[in-house]
Amino acid sequence: MNSADALAVLDAPPDADVDPDELVRAAMQWHFSPDTGTPFWLERLERLDFDPRTDVRTTDDLLLFPQVVDDFRHVPVEDLLPRGYGGRAEVIGVFESGGTTGAPKRVLYLADWMEVEMANAMRAMDARGYPRGVHWLSMGPAGPHDYAELTGQHARRRGGVRFAVDFDPRWVRLCLRDGRAEESERYLDHVLAQTATVLSSQRIGAIQAPPPLLERLARDERLVDMVRDQVQVITWCGASMDRDTRDVLRDEVFPGIPLYGLYGSTMALGAAFERTATDDGDSVFDSPSPHVSYTVVDPDTGKPVAVGETGQVVMHHLSKSALLPNNRERDAARRVGAPDGSAGHSVADVHPLETFTGVPVITGAY
């Protein structure tokens, strides 16, 4: 595949039927060719014991890549821009991972990828009956996280505006790490007070929030009444939610209000809405392929596990704007049968690992 053919695949419209393995080959050609490649990857090419342009042919071959995302903690962001853009890439923002297990990692979000991600999100929302023309409230972090930008895009593209609370999840984690749980509780009370201000003064039709904040909101009868009175859909994201908590929120606290999970990662530049049907009672997330895919692997061997088995989630991102293959996440999940033609695995019962890269995982509230 030459660079022109690779570009044609990578520039395909969001609703195009792109073969996942063809996308893999196009991404390898684009990101590892001297004229179009990404400086970050071109500099590392000689260190690889394989040639991605000839040896990486399928989605399964992405597991050949070494773990390099730790380098994203300090790499200059200019090195993440593919040369093929000719210096004309429109950068939406520089976003960071949560910093749950060390210094945060940084990625670039380019405008062309945002269009692909939002097209996928709008189709998923339409399929799940998300309303249009209503305002959104996001109970989550702003910069340097991508959460605020993405929820703002969701609201605007569905004809509403985004209201937000001011929330720093890293402060909550720091309090918990230092044994100051009472201080983190007071901080979450502060966040909920801001939530009450918005709900009591604006008509909100959609809420997007991490599960710990939804659980806290559920304890406040006044807040629950305001949500029941006006909210038409709730999206949970940013942290895991067990089935019991989900069922209580959906069936008892907010009956009649659809409740959907959104699972993704900053380092995958993408997320998936949960299926409308569960698997053995657990929320299920299909890889938002072909650009973003999940693989559930044995954490000791790195080999994919069988359907029904639990392992560590690995995420891959392949697009014109970025290449992020074989990134081990701080999540464990049960592998579920994927839809026909989908790249990667589907996952259920997603929950944080106890440790990640030897560091205890402290989730906090996001």
Side-chain angles (χ1 to χ4, degrees), residues 322-337:
L323 173 64
L324 295 159
N326 200 21
N327 173 35
R328 290 201 179 196
E329 289 288 332
R330 56 178 175 86
D331 299 323
R334 184 178 77 255
R335 180 182 174 185
V336 175

Side-chain angles (χ1 to χ4, degrees), residues 71 122-123 133 139 165 196 239 269 292 295 312 319 345 349 359:
D71 292 346
M122 293 304 106
R123 282 198 300 271
M139 300 164 60
V165 298
L269 297 174
V292 178
T295 307
Q312 185 175 7
S319 69
H345 300 169
D349 187 25
V359 180

Side-chain angles (χ1 to χ4, degrees), residues 139-183:
M139 300 164 60
H145 307 278
D146 61 3
Y147 179 92
E149 177 64 37
L150 295 176
T151 54
Q153 293 276 350
H154 291 162
R156 289 192 296 275
R157 290 171 188 252
R158 298 196 76 79
V161 299
R162 168 185 175 264
F163 292 89
V165 298
D166 197 10
F167 173 43
D168 181 2
R170 293 178 181 171
W171 180 252
V172 176
R173 284 196 292 271
L174 181 62
C175 289
L176 295 175
R177 187 179 298 119
D178 293 344
R180 295 180 283 123
E182 182 179 347
E183 186 171 344

Side-chain angles (χ1 to χ4, degrees), residues 131-139 155 160-165 194-209 217 223 225-235 257:
R132 291 185 178 271
V134 302
H135 298 323
W136 288 53
L137 170 62
S138 68
M139 300 164 60
V161 299
R162 168 185 175 264
F163 292 89
V165 298
Q194 298 173 64
T195 300
T197 298
V198 176
L199 288 172
S200 62
S201 61
Q202 303 293 328
R203 190 73 186 173
I204 300 297
I207 285 180
Q208 192 158 326
L217 187 154
L223 284 176
D225 286 342
M226 285 192 284
V227 171
R228 289 175 175 174
D229 177 62
Q230 55 187 302
V231 173
Q232 300 176 41
V233 67
I234 298 172
T235 308
I257 302 176

Side-chain angles (χ1 to χ4, degrees), residues 54-304:
T54 57
D55 299 334
V56 179
R57 313 293 297 170
T58 70
T59 301
D60 291 342
D61 294 335
L62 295 173
L63 295 176
L64 290 171
F65 279 95
Q67 301 293 303
V68 300
V69 290
D70 278 346
D71 292 346
F72 283 63
R73 302 182 195 275
H74 53 76
V75 65
V77 294
E78 294 85 358
D79 289 355
L80 303 180
L81 276 172
R83 293 174 178 172
Y85 284 91
R88 296 182 298 274
E90 180 183 351
V91 179
I92 296 292
V94 178
F95 299 120
E96 295 184 357
S97 65
T100 305
T101 55
K105 302 177 281 285
R106 297 184 183 90
V107 293
L108 286 176
Y109 224 113
L110 303 189
D112 55 358
W113 172 247
M114 180 64 76
E115 291 307 309
V116 175
E117 173 69 4
M118 286 300 112
N120 292 335
M122 293 304 106
R123 282 198 300 271
M125 290 183 188
D126 287 341
R128 289 157 180 78
Y130 274 61
R132 291 185 178 271
V134 302
H135 298 323
W136 288 53
L137 170 62
S138 68
M139 300 164 60
H145 307 278
D146 61 3
Y147 179 92
E149 177 64 37
L150 295 176
T151 54
Q153 293 276 350
H154 291 162
R156 289 192 296 275
R157 290 171 188 252
R158 298 196 76 79
V161 299
R162 168 185 175 264
F163 292 89
V165 298
D166 197 10
F167 173 43
D168 181 2
R170 293 178 181 171
W171 180 252
V172 176
R173 284 196 292 271
L174 181 62
C175 289
L176 295 175
R177 187 179 298 119
D178 293 344
R180 295 180 283 123
E182 182 179 347
E183 186 171 344
S184 71
E185 291 293 308
R186 289 181 59 217
Y187 184 76
L188 294 181
D189 288 339
H190 169 63
V191 172
L192 286 179
Q194 298 173 64
T195 300
T197 298
V198 176
L199 288 172
S200 62
S201 61
Q202 303 293 328
R203 190 73 186 173
I204 300 297
I207 285 180
Q208 192 158 326
L213 284 178
L214 290 175
E215 292 176 50
R216 290 291 296 253
L217 187 154
R219 302 178 201 167
D220 188 315
E221 186 174 340
R222 175 170 171 259
L223 284 176
V224 169
D225 286 342
M226 285 192 284
V227 171
R228 289 175 175 174
D229 177 62
Q230 55 187 302
V231 173
Q232 300 176 41
V233 67
I234 298 172
T235 308
W236 58 268
C237 57
S240 62
M241 181 186 289
D242 62 73
R243 69 172 80 172
D244 291 338
T245 300
R246 182 204 61 210
D247 290 348
V248 168
L249 290 176
R250 183 187 59 194
D251 301 333
E252 300 179 23
V253 182
F254 306 118
I257 302 176
L259 179 71
Y260 289 107
L262 182 62
Y263 176 56
S265 167
T266 301
M267 299 310 296
L269 297 174
F273 283 84
E274 72 171 289
R275 287 183 191 172
T276 55
T278 66
D279 181 89
D280 193 26
D282 290 319
S283 297
V284 181
F285 302 91
D286 299 315
S287 293
S289 67
H291 295 90
V292 178
S293 60
Y294 311 145
T295 307
V296 185
V297 304
D298 182 306
D300 296 323
T301 67
K303 302 295 184 182

Side-chain angles (χ1 to χ4, degrees), residues 41-57:
W41 284 111
L42 291 172
E43 191 273 330
R44 284 156 180 76
L45 182 57
E46 294 183 359
R47 304 185 211 168
L48 301 176
D49 57 5
F50 61 94
D51 186 341
R53 288 172 294 179
T54 57
D55 299 334
V56 179
R57 313 293 297 170

